[in-house]
Amino acid sequence: MALRHAIPPATLAAQTRAADPAATAWVSANAGSGKTHVLTQRVIRLLLAGTPPSKILCLTFTKAAAANMSLRVFDTLSKWTVLDDAALEVEIRKTGAPFAQTDLAFARRLFARTVETPGGLKIQTIHAFCERLLHLFPFEANVASHFRVIEDVEQAELLALARDKALGLALDDEDSPLGHALHLISGQTSAADFDALLQAVLGKRDKLMRGIDAMGGDLARYEGALRRTLGIDTNRTGAELEDDIVNAGLPPGRWLDYAARLDRGTTNDKKMAERFRAAVQATGEARRKAYEQVFFNKEMDPRAKLTTAALDKSDPGLKDELTNELMRICALRETMKSVQCLERSAALARIAAQILHSYAALKNARALLDFDDLIETTRRLLRNAAPSWVLFKLDSGIDHILVDEAQDTSPGQWDILRALAEEFMAGEGQRKLTRTFFAVGDEKQSIYSFQGAQPRQFDEMRRLFETRARAASLDFASVPLQLSFRSAPGILACVDAVFADAGNRRGLVYGDDVNTEHLALKHDLPSVIEIWPLVGARDTVEERDWKLPVDLRDEHDPPAVLARRIAMMIASWLAPDSPERVCDENGLGRPIRAGDVMILVRRRNAFFEAVIRALKEKVVPVAGADRLQLLENIAVMDLIAAGRAAILPQDDLALACVLKSPLIGLNDDDL
C-alpha cells in the first residue's frame, strides 16, 4: 500500500545526514520523529561502508530498546539476502547510502557477516557494556574476576542487612559519634519516617559518597563543607543556641519586672504580662517555648505589636527593649535553624555512610557489583593513567559509538563515553580511517534525575564534541528532527502553545537556541483537545452507614467521579449508534474500537484503580493494570488468609476471610 503522507524532502535529507557514517552527528529528535529509524539506518550504513560489525558499539537505554534495535537491523539485513538486484537497489537507496552495482553482493552477505563475526554487533545498555569491560580487565579495575551483577531483590536484602548492622553498631555504643547521630535522628522522626528518610538518602548514595570521598572519607571535613555551604560562622551547637534564647537576652530574674510594667497598660498589654509570668513558672524546654510565646504567635510569626500605644506614652522605653529582644531572638532562631539543619544532615550522612560501608563489605564478600558500581568502577578504570593500555585495547576495538536516549545519560556515564571517544578526535593517527561518535536524544523527554541524569549535559556535550571535531577538521552534523510521524497537528500545536510562554519554556530546555517547534507528517488529520473542569472534593461530607467498611471508597471522591466520567465518555464512543469515527490506515473513517483508546495516568494510584473499575462497570473491554503488586492482589490475599487459617485455627478473622472468599463462597448470613 502506498504511503498516504509523503515524507518531506527536508526530513529525508536530515535523516540521511544523521545516518552518514563519515560524520560525527548529534541528533535532537522530538517525540515520534523516528530516532530509532535513524539509529538503525546509521548502523546499516556503517556496515555497508565496510565497518566490521565488532567495531560498532551501540549503547541504548534499556534492554528492551537494545532488543528492538537489534531486531530491526537483523530483520533488514535478512530481507536483503533474498531480494533481486532491482529490489535490493531500491532498499539500499532508501538508506541514503551511495549506490554502486558492486555493492549488491556485499549487501547480501552483511547478514551472515554480522551474525558470524566473533563478538557480533554490540547493541547493549551501558551497564551491560561496563560489565563486559570489567570482566575483561578485572585486575586493572580492582574487582573480583568472578563478580556478578546483583539483582534488585538481592540488593534490597543486602541493604536491609547493612542497615541492621549499622544501627546495631550505633546501639551497642551510644556514646560514639554513630550512636549520637542515631539518637539525634531517631528523636526527630517516627519509625516510619525514619525508614523513609533512610530510603531517600540511600537512593542518592552515589552523590553522598562522592561528596564524602571528595573529603578523603573524613566525615568531619564533610561536616565542615556543609557548614560553609550553609553559611554558618559559629561553632556553637543547636542545643547551646536554644539555651541562648532564654539565657543571653533579657535576664529571667527581670521577667516579673517586665510583667509589672506591662500590667500598667491595656488588656492586650496585660496578656503580654501573663505570658512573661508563664515563662517564669516554666522550667527546662517548656521555659524556652513559653518565653518564645511572649514574642511569637502560635505559628511562630513575630507578634505585630508588643505594646499598645497607650503604654508607649507612659513607658516609652519598654517598646524598644522588647523590640530589640524580638530582633535578637529572630536572628538567633535563624542561626539555630541552620545549625540544626547542619547537625541533622551530618548525622544522617554518618548513618548512611556506615550503612553503605557495611553494604560495600557485604557485596565484596559475595563478589557482587550493583549498577552504580559498574558505572563508577568503569569510570575510575578509564580515568586512571596507569592502565593506559586498557584504553589502547579498547581504542583498537571500537571505531564508531552510537548513544541512544542521550538526554538521560548521567555525568559518570558521559565520563566513560568521553574516555572511549578521546582518540576519535585527536587528529591524524596511524590508522587512516574516519571514526565517529553519534548521539540522539531530546532533553524535553528527559526522566529528570533518573540514574543521576542531568539533561543540560546533552547540550553541553554537543558543544564539546562539536568543538573537538572541528578542531580536528572532522565533519560534524547537528541535526534536528522535528517532524512527528505519530501525532495529529492539533495536539502538537497545543503543546507548542503551552511552551511558547517564556516561563514554561525555561523548564523545558536549557539552551536558548533549541528549537522546540513540532511539525506533523499527518498534517490533514483532524484532532480535538478537551479540557474538562477540575473535579474537587465536596465542602460537606455526608454521613455514611457505620456498617460499611472504613476503607470503602466514597463514590463522590474526585478520583471516582472523574473515572466514571471517562468511562461514560468511552462507552458512548463504542456504542453501535455512535457517530464518532477514527481515521484508519487508508485515511477513511471507521467506528471506534476499545483498542483505539489509551488512557495515560501520571501514577498508579487510586484514580488508576478507579478508572479500571469504572470501565468494567460500563462493560468496556480494558487491558487492566500493566503492573501488579502481588501481595495487594485480592486473590493472593485470599490464599494468604487460607494459609493463616490453616496454620492458626484460632485466627477467626482469617477464617472468616477465607469463608467469604471465592474459595468457599459464603455470605454474611452464612457466617
Side-chain angles (χ1 to χ4, degrees), residues 415-450:
D415 287 346
I416 294 172
L417 295 173
R418 287 172 59 183
L420 293 175
E422 189 72 26
E423 290 298 316
F424 286 18
M425 301 165 198
E428 186 173 349
Q430 183 178 5
R431 300 169 64 200
K432 304 292 185 182
L433 83 161
T434 300
R435 308 170 72 192
T436 65
F437 188 95
F438 173 89
V440 58
D442 180 15
E443 58 190 274
K444 301 189 295 297
Q445 300 180 60
S446 177
I447 308 173
Y448 286 86
S449 297
F450 182 76

Side-chain angles (χ1 to χ4, degrees), residues 490-537:
I491 307 297
L492 299 175
C494 178
V495 172
D496 288 342
V498 169
F499 292 105
D501 178 85
N504 297 340
R505 178 186 170 86
R506 191 163 53 248
L508 183 68
V509 293
Y510 286 90
D512 295 333
D513 58 343
V514 178
N515 188 350
T516 61
E517 182 184 6
H518 293 76
L519 306 175
L521 174 69
K522 305 171 184 177
H523 55 84
D524 55 346
L525 281 186
S527 54
V528 62
I529 296 172
E530 293 184 0
I531 300 177
W532 291 357
L534 293 176
V535 179

